[in-house]
């Protein structure tokens, strides 16, 4: 029984993560140093860390591609790779301290000061992974390339055969960098990560281009001004169409979701006495854990609910949340629901939200997480 409990604990998500839902995707409230520490810790302990780096393009595509959205929700670490994402978060009071670009994270790992990690490149244009490997070896920094593969441009299924997976595993990298295009790359990781013996896996397409010398990254002042997209268009003019389409879609979300949510927060923010009350009752009925919540649930009040979720998940119970007496929730509450729903889904179960109060429904809608209400 002890062995089974340990095995079950190893498969649990980290319910202590401070994850916020913004326009349907989860974002961890970490800065660059925090994200780097998480990656180094995973590499040293062998713990699995699927890193996603959602930007505006992720936000837009996840609205029409449920599988793509799920791939980000299933991540162990999800960071804001785009200043527009950070600006939207600030408007809504979501504590994303700064942008955590995948390229910046990769550059931090390249510094030799904190120990050397090994990396494997998978994908990219013909010859790009080989060039990136050669450049990393010549630099002799904090990352050592232990292998690369060019799988071509076929469907995900053709890129997932045993020989390719075995080649990656045989190299025993700490970090696997995938570069297949965002949607295909996330789909490839979702399909194969259970077969990969690699602690850290992430789709970082631009990183491979930069490491190979095929593209130059924008100067720091351009990055900080939120204008790196203009620099990318200068480097690759064909990108203008994607940025234009994404910009129109983001403007629509700003008008229909972000601004109404900001106004709702301003008009309905609970007073101090209301913030102090967050009631929780839990009972067990057979294989079900039923949790009844009352009052106001915001990021500073979620510790008890996080422990409750961990206990129910560790016991392998089906979780039912009664939200009929909840008066106010925030993006961190919705983020925790996303993590919990993803865990239940991976086990072939559902998260049941019961008697969902109108204030909860409204915030879930503003957060573009309506899928959580499918069984409510």
């Amino acid at each position: 029984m002890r062995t089974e409990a340990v095995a079950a604990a190893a498969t649990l998500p980290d319910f202590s993560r401070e994850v916020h839902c913004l326009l349907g995707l989860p974002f961890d409230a970490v800065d660059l140093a925090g994200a780097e520490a998480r990656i180094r810790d995973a590499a040293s302990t062998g713990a699995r860390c699927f890193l996603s780096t959602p930007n505006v393009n992720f936000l837009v595509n996840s609205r029409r591609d449920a599988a793509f959205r799920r791939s980000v929700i299933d991540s162990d670490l999800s960071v804001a790779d785009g200043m527009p994402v950070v600006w939207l978060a600030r408007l809504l009071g979501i504590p994303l301290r700064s942008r955590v670009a995948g390229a910046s994270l990769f550059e931090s790992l390249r510094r030799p000061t904190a120990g050397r990690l090994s990396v494997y490149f998978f994908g990219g244009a013909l010859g790009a992974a080989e060039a990136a490997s050669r450049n990393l070896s010549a630099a002799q920094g904090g990352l050592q390339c232990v292998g690369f593969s060019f799988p071509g441009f076929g469907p995900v299924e053709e890129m997932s055969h045993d020989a390719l997976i075995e080649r990656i595993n045989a190299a025993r990298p700490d970090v696997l960098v995938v570069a297949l295009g965002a949607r295909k790359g996330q789909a490839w990781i979702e399909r194969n990560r259970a077969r990969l013996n690699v602690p850290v896996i992430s789709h970082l397409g631009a990183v491979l281009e930069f490491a190979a010398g095929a593209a130059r990254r924008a100067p720091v002042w351009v990055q900080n001004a939120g204008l790196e997209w203009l620099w990318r268009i200068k480097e690759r003019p064909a990108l203008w169409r994607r940025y234009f389409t994404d910009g129109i879609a983001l403007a629509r979300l700003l008008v229909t979701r972000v601004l109404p949510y900001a106004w709702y927060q301003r008009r309905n923010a609970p007073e101090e006495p209301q913030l102090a009350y967050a009631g929780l009752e839990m009972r067990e009925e057979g294989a079900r854990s039923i949790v009844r919540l009352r009052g106001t649930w915001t990021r500073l009040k979620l510790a008890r609910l996080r422990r409750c979720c961990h206990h129910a998940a560790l016991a392998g119970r089906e979780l039912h949340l009664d939200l009929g007496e909840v008066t106010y929730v925030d993006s961190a509450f919705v983020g925790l629901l996303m993590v919990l729903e993803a865990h239940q889904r991976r086990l072939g179960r559902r998260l049941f939200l019961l008697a969902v109060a109108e204030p909860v429904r409204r915030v879930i809608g503003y957060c573009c997480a309506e899928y959580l209400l499918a069984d409510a």
Side-chain angles (χ1 to χ4, degrees), residues 131-255:
S133 173
R134 187 168 55 248
N135 291 342
L136 275 188
S137 298
Q140 296 186 339
L143 285 174
Q144 173 190 8
C145 186
V146 293
F148 58 87
S149 297
F150 172 67
F153 303 103
V156 168
E157 293 75 15
E158 291 182 6
M159 299 180 179
S160 303
H161 56 78
D162 291 343
L164 274 175
I165 303 301
E166 290 168 4
R167 180 176 177 179
I168 296 170
N169 287 336
R172 301 182 65 184
D174 297 311
V175 181
L176 173 62
V177 172
V178 180
L180 302 173
R183 284 201 274 186
K184 182 185 284 189
Q186 293 282 123
W188 185 89
I189 293 171
E190 282 281 79
R191 181 184 178 93
N192 296 299
R193 63 180 177 139
R195 304 161 62 200
L196 290 162
N197 300 325
V198 184
V200 182
I201 306 173
S202 184
H203 183 272
L204 300 169
V207 161
L208 184 53
E209 290 184 4
F210 297 146
R216 295 179 302 157
R217 196 174 179 202
V220 174
W221 72 266
V222 175
Q223 299 173 37
N224 293 339
L227 297 174
E228 191 164 7
W229 59 277
L230 277 175
W231 178 273
R232 295 295 307 280
I233 290 175
K234 179 184 78 70
E235 293 287 297
R236 290 178 55 191
L239 286 173
W240 77 266
R241 190 181 302 277
R242 191 192 89 181
Y243 285 122
F244 177 78
T245 303
D246 288 350
I248 295 297
L250 183 63
R252 189 176 297 116
L253 288 171
L254 178 67
V255 172

